[in-house]
Amino acid sequence: MRTVTLQSPPYAALSIPPAPSSSSFSFRNSTLFFNTWLPQFRASSSASTRFALDASSIQTASTTELDAVSAFSEIVPDTVIFDDFEKFPPTAATVSSSLLLGICGLPDTIFRNAVDMALADSECYGLENTEARLSCFSSKALVNVGGDMAKLVPGRVSTEVDARLAYDTHAIIRKVHDLLKLYNDISIPPQRLLFKIPSTWQGIEAARLLESEGIQTHLTFVYSFAQAAAAAQAGASVIQIFVGRLRDWARNHSDDPEIESAQLKGEDPGLALVTKAYNYIHKYGHKSKLMAAAVRNKQDLFSLLGVDYIIAPLKILQSLKESIASPDEKYSFVRKLSPQSAASYVFRDEELVKWDQASLAAAMGPAAVQLLATGLDGHADQAKRVEELFGKIWPPPNV
């Protein structure tokens, strides 16, 4: 992965379903990474299960593997930097605590003024309680940056909800309402927004209630079928599954029934979960879009063709872009997931329950429990670090 200094035009993007289309943005280990949606790559509505690489489908010698796979799924570049902006232009964005840390670490970014203006906000400034004041600053900063991004991209902006609220449904809803009001104050309509919420039971329930209000949600940290099915029943706009993280867990742990069931069938646990979740969503008519993240290689991507969105590392996309598709190439382009194949998928009776808190807790194995906890701890730590940083640099200079 390559590092990048935020310079104009820094269009950040995150794994988000398109409203025309979407993108993704994250900050890890003091390095900015961009996940950018490709507007020209749309999931195919064709019922065909095989991409016919013949003279009619490959009209010119310049047709690439990326063109071929993009007939089935929207391909989302991961870790795209500004040097690649023209190759992979983003159409949507996300804002998070990790992004705020990155902005504060790069004072020349065009988003720094959005943070400084948040720290000078009179409403937050007047709060006597230090914890409330810092939380107010953080919310204002997220929305100010999100508002700037909304002016730069045509698609939706996703805003992360504080992971420390993950086990409090009403607190999540209050936070989303607060963020939505702040966005309304700067004239960003709700149709341009998504809110990224952890897939605890409380987060899933919050998503259900928010979606009933017409507020779009993106459920993350999904590591089990029970979470995916509950999220679909809740009507989440986007459900994100991390393929590679499940594989990594399975290599170093055991005694997870869901993972062992996939392995006994000779299946990769991450790929198997995406397949099962996709089939559930499409067989039973749920509105959710499914996103496969943490894709590690070409074969992963080929195995997921047909899922709504695939987040792939830049090195994979570059290889696909540079490879010319031909009838005799090594990999055949087959649509692995489709509404037609979903219709014939057989689920067990216990998988078709109306999920509630008790059944979800009972069904989540150690992989989902541990990976969810790890994700929450990491994001909660980032939120805390932002508040600590704001406490040190407030009030900002020259404002």
Side-chain angles (χ1 to χ4, degrees):
M1 295 182 181
R2 292 175 286 173
T3 59
V4 60
T5 301
L6 277 175
Q7 299 171 345
S8 221
Y11 304 153
L14 175 87
S15 50
I16 305 171
S21 66
S22 308
S23 61
S24 144
F25 187 25
S26 59
F27 177 83
R28 305 184 188 96
N29 301 327
S30 302
T31 303
L32 285 176
F33 300 107
F34 296 80
N35 304 324
T36 313
W37 293 89
L38 304 180
Q40 65 270 37
F41 303 148
R42 312 292 293 182
S44 172
S45 59
S46 169
S48 117
T49 58
R50 183 173 181 83
F51 187 79
L53 293 177
D54 53 20
S56 63
S57 62
I58 302 181
Q59 299 176 358
T60 69
S62 62
T63 299
T64 67
E65 289 183 348
L66 185 56
D67 297 324
V69 299
S70 297
F72 304 118
S73 299
E74 184 161 351
I75 309 301
V76 184
D78 193 7
T79 68
V80 177
I81 63 173
F82 300 144
D83 289 345
D84 303 290
F85 176 75
E86 293 184 1
K87 298 179 186 177
F88 304 104
T91 60
T94 193
V95 289
S96 63
S97 294
S98 58
L99 173 58
L100 295 182
L101 290 171
I103 292 171
C104 292
L106 298 170
D108 59 339
T109 170
I110 62 171
F111 297 120
R112 182 55 189 260
N113 184 63
V115 174
D116 288 344
M117 293 305 295
L119 293 174
D121 185 85
S122 58
E123 181 180 346
C124 300
Y125 187 95
L127 295 174
E128 294 184 3
N129 181 278
T130 300
E131 182 178 338
R133 183 170 63 248
L134 294 177
S135 177
C136 182
F137 285 149
S138 295
S139 293
K140 289 277 188 177
L142 286 170
V143 170
N144 284 355
V145 173
D148 282 355
M149 288 184 174
K151 299 173 186 176
L152 299 174
V153 299
R156 291 177 289 183
V157 174
S158 180
T159 304
E160 178 185 272
V161 176
D162 193 336
R164 292 171 295 183
L165 307 177
Y167 291 99
D168 188 334
T169 295
H170 297 295
I172 293 171
I173 293 172
R174 284 195 300 271
K175 175 61 73 172
V176 170
H177 285 165
D178 289 346
L179 293 170
L180 199 57
K181 180 181 182 302
L182 293 176
Y183 273 115
N184 182 66
D185 291 343
I186 58 174
S187 301
I188 306 297
Q191 295 82 3
R192 296 289 313 279
L193 303 170
L194 279 161
F195 294 93
K196 191 175 182 183
I197 298 170
S199 293
T200 58
W201 169 253
Q202 292 80 1
I204 293 169
E205 182 67 1
R208 181 184 68 80
L209 294 170
L210 290 166
E211 292 281 352
S212 72
E213 300 176 30
I215 299 171
Q216 300 172 104
T217 61
H218 169 197
L219 285 173
T220 189
F221 300 146
V222 174
Y223 297 106
S224 66
F225 173 74
Q227 287 175 289
Q233 290 180 2
S237 295
V238 178
I239 300 170
Q240 185 171 354
I241 294 173
F242 295 89
V243 174
R245 294 183 191 177
L246 277 165
R247 180 182 304 150
D248 293 342
W249 190 95
R251 286 173 177 166
N252 300 298
H253 304 82
S254 59
D255 299 325
D256 186 292
E258 190 169 346
I259 286 178
E260 290 180 351
S261 176
Q263 291 173 327
L264 287 172
K265 299 175 186 176
E267 300 173 346
D268 175 86
L271 299 176
L273 178 56
V274 172
T275 299
K276 193 171 185 177
Y278 176 94
N279 289 337
Y280 180 82
I281 289 168
H282 286 268
K283 182 168 184 172
Y284 296 105
H286 297 290
K287 75 169 189 176
S288 304
K289 299 296 184 182
L290 189 63
M291 176 177 292
V295 170
R296 300 286 170 76
N297 52 59
K298 271 189 179 184
Q299 192 55 56
D300 281 350
L301 189 147
F302 295 148
S303 298
L304 293 169
L305 292 181
V307 73
D308 300 291
Y309 312 114
I310 301 174
I311 299 179
L314 183 59
K315 64 180 181 180
I316 294 178
L317 297 187
Q318 199 64 41
S319 175
L320 292 169
K321 189 177 180 69
E322 293 171 354
S323 301
I324 302 301
S326 62
D328 58 348
E329 63 189 334
K330 180 177 180 181
Y331 298 108
S332 60
F333 297 100
V334 178
R335 181 167 187 170
K336 300 292 187 178
L337 305 176
S338 70
Q340 292 72 29
S341 62
S344 61
Y345 191 92
V346 178
F347 289 90
R348 302 191 309 273
D349 289 343
E350 58 267 31
E351 295 172 332
L352 300 178
V353 300
K354 174 64 177 176
W355 293 95
D356 58 23
Q357 184 172 6
S359 59
L360 180 68
M364 286 177 62
V369 171
Q370 292 175 25
L371 290 169
L372 173 61
T374 298
L376 291 175
D377 287 346
H379 282 240
D381 178 68
Q382 290 170 349
K384 182 179 179 181
R385 287 169 57 198
V386 167
E387 292 178 353
E388 290 175 346
L389 179 60
F390 284 177
K392 293 177 181 177
I393 65 177
W394 176 79
N398 304 321
V399 176

